[in-house]
């Protein structure tokens, strides 16, 4: 089961996708406009989220179109239907150096390589605040590279949604970063990571009990320039040195995490050192059992 946030004639609708059929949860229950509304309602009813969504879905007829048709934009009748960010995050946090590949690359780029080995091996993970809401976009929204950076990369990461202190669902995330700024000095991390359009999430939200094993999901990233693939990489969440659950537990220690916070779990795909994103590139990240998040790059 996946849920998408649609804008239909400018109005927010939450829809669930089961098989290739789409069901409008908002038409069935006008109080349910976003996934946070559904999470609040299922928590009040003490009912698992998927069960709550299923009870609404059973009461409505499927929509006469699919997500693929909305994305293709070939049917003019669907001009008033747009896919939006699956949830407006209260905060976005990121874990760092959770894959060996990430640790090795940061050591290469940095003048202080041992900080990365030490955090990879330590009990306490690296966690940093990426956004308090407004820098994160959804599917097909432009992602940004800093105008003062010369080496920018996408970071494809499994995104967890935290509600009531626990992980309730998953999305695809992109922790876009400036590697030259990060490599110059670890104290520049916030500037390498936090700037306009530096994050995207989507294309949909998958409830935790519908994902399968979150520690066994294939992640693939492709970058296209002028319709030619200039980078293709792949990893699996089974290469993470810490589980999503462990990262979420650390995030919640002595810290009231607002409901609807997103936690990105680190990258295991790092393009070669001569690769940098350019304006106009298109980045697609696919995570098994979730979907594909695509964003074009702009300079900010
Ligand atoms: O400290 C560096 C950030 C690492 C990161 O964002 C990642 O591993 O994904
Ligand atoms: Mg990252």
């Amino acid at each position: 089961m996946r849920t998408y946030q649609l804008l239909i004639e400018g109005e927010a609708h939450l829809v669930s996708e089961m098989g290739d059929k789409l069901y409008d949860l908002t038409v069935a229950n006008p109080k349910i406009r976003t996934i946070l509304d559904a999470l609040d309602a299922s928590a009040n009813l003490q009912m698992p989220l998927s069960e709550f969504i299923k009870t609404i879905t059973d009461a409505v007829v499927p929509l006469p179109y699919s997500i693929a048709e909305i994305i293709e934009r070939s049917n003019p009748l669907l001009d008033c239907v747009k896919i939006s960010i699956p949830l407006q995050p209260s905060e976005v946090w990121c874990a760092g150096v959770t894959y060996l590949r990430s640790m090795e690359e940061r050591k290469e780029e940095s003048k202080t390589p041992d900080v990365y080995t030490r955090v990879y091996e330590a009990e306490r993970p690296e966690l940093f605040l990426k956004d308090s809401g407004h820098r994160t976009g959804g599917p097909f929204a432009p992602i940004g590279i800093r105008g003062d950076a010369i080496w920018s990369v996408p970071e494809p990461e499994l995104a967890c949604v935290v509600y009531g202190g626990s992980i309730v669902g998953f999305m695809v995330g992109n922790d876009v970063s400036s590697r030259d700024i990060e490599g110059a000095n670890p104290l520049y991390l916030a500037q390498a990571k936090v700037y306009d359009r530096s994050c995207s999430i989507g294309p949909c939200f998958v409830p935790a009990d519908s994902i399968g094993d979150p520690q066994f999901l294939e992640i693939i990233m492709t970058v296209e320039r002028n319709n030619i693939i200039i980078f293709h990489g792949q990893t699996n969440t089974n290469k993470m040195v810490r589980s999503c659950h462990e990262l979420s537990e650390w995030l919640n220690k002595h810290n009231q995490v607002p409901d609807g916070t997103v936690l990105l779990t680190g990258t295991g795909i790092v393009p070669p050192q001569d690769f940098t994103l350019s304006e106009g590139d298109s980045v697609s990240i696919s995570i098994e059992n979730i979907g594909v998040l695509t964003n074009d790059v702009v300079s900010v």
Side-chain angles (χ1 to χ4, degrees), residues 162-239:
V162 178
Y163 183 95
S166 303
I167 297 175
V168 291
F170 296 89
M171 300 179 294
V172 178
N174 190 346
D175 168 27
V176 192
S177 306
S178 310
R179 289 196 60 192
D180 56 318
I181 297 177
E182 175 187 272
N185 188 321
L187 298 181
Y188 294 158
L189 184 78
Q191 295 169 77
K193 296 284 188 180
V194 184
Y195 57 89
D196 293 344
R197 299 186 178 281
S198 61
C199 187
S200 78
I201 52 174
C204 58
F205 168 96
V206 179
D209 59 7
S210 304
I211 193 92
D213 179 358
Q215 299 310 143
F216 202 86
L217 299 174
E218 187 174 63
I219 304 183
I220 296 171
M221 178 170 74
T222 53
V223 183
E224 288 186 26
R225 186 167 296 162
N226 303 322
N227 296 319
I228 293 165
I229 294 178
I230 53 162
F231 175 78
H232 176 92
Q234 173 177 3
T235 190
N236 192 293
T237 54
N238 67 1
K239 296 202 169 75

Side-chain angles (χ1 to χ4, degrees), residues 256-267:
Q256 286 232 340
V257 176
D259 289 340
T261 287
V262 172
L263 170 60
L264 305 192
T265 55
T267 188

Side-chain angles (χ1 to χ4, degrees), residues 16-28:
S16 73
E17 185 185 46
M18 292 191 193
D20 58 356
K21 297 246 180 323
L22 274 189
Y23 299 86
D24 192 329
L25 305 177
T26 304
V27 161

Side-chain angles (χ1 to χ4, degrees), residues 29 31-32 35-53 55 163-164 168 259:
N29 181 344
K31 286 194 183 132
I32 309 296
I35 192 65
L36 272 181
D37 295 335
L39 283 160
D40 288 343
S42 71
N44 282 339
L45 294 167
Q46 298 186 339
M47 191 188 268
L49 178 67
S50 308
E51 204 180 307
F52 173 74
I53 292 175
T55 52
Y163 183 95
V168 291
D259 289 340

Side-chain angles (χ1 to χ4, degrees), residues 94-97 102 106 128 155 157 175 177 193 264-267:
C94 292
V97 200
S102 177
R106 316 272 161 195
F128 57 90
E155 293 194 353
E157 308 190 5
D175 168 27
S177 306
K193 296 284 188 180
L264 305 192
T265 55
T267 188

